[in-house]
Amino acid sequence: MGLLRAFGLIAIVITLVVSAAAYANGLPIAALAPMGFAVLALLLVLPFPAYERVRRSRVLIACLFYTAATAVSCGIANAIELNATNLLLSVAPASGLILSLWARRTWERRRRVGFSNYYDA
């Protein structure tokens, strides 16, 4: 889960940078509102370790919400105006899809008793 959390934080930083560039380029803040909720969803679950399956389910749901919300925001932005800055917003749903697939893969893991932080795939 450590690499998933690190990649999630990198995705958040990239999302914030691209959103700020789109806002500076004249995109209305209403088009970026779903992007803000998506970042908030990831920020709520990423700082905490997810050793149990219930917590890994929360991470999976947050990743799926991040993917859907960033896709909605990207769609709204590109419907308003199609330019290079708004097309960069499509990086967020792509990274969200990778995060969701990764979280789904780790969701199925079972912890091995007697081994510290070791999981069977």
Side-chain angles (χ1 to χ4, degrees):
M1 285 301 287
L3 285 175
L4 178 62
R5 287 166 48 186
F7 188 76
L9 291 175
I10 291 169
I12 288 172
V13 169
I14 290 172
T15 302
L16 292 176
V17 168
V18 171
S19 297
Y23 181 69
N25 198 26
L27 186 66
I29 195 72
L32 294 174
M35 192 83 70
F37 288 118
V39 168
L40 182 64
L42 278 186
L43 282 175
L44 290 176
V45 297
L46 286 182
F48 305 107
Y51 295 124
E52 296 86 21
R53 191 170 189 162
V54 174
R55 290 186 181 179
R56 288 194 302 266
S57 295
R58 290 182 196 141
V59 172
L60 177 62
I61 291 169
C63 290
L64 290 171
F65 179 78
Y66 174 83
T67 304
T70 54
V72 166
S73 184
C74 178
I76 292 171
N78 287 319
I80 291 174
E81 181 183 0
L82 190 62
N83 60 23
T85 308
N86 289 350
L87 286 175
L88 280 177
L89 289 174
S90 64
V91 171
S95 65
L97 181 62
I98 292 170
L99 281 173
S100 297
L101 293 174
W102 196 346
R104 175 68 175 114
R105 178 74 174 132
T106 59
W107 180 71
E108 298 173 349
R109 290 185 178 173
R110 293 176 305 277
R111 193 168 191 165
R112 293 279 302 229
V113 178
F115 295 96
S116 177
N117 294 329
Y118 181 78
Y119 293 89
D120 277 341

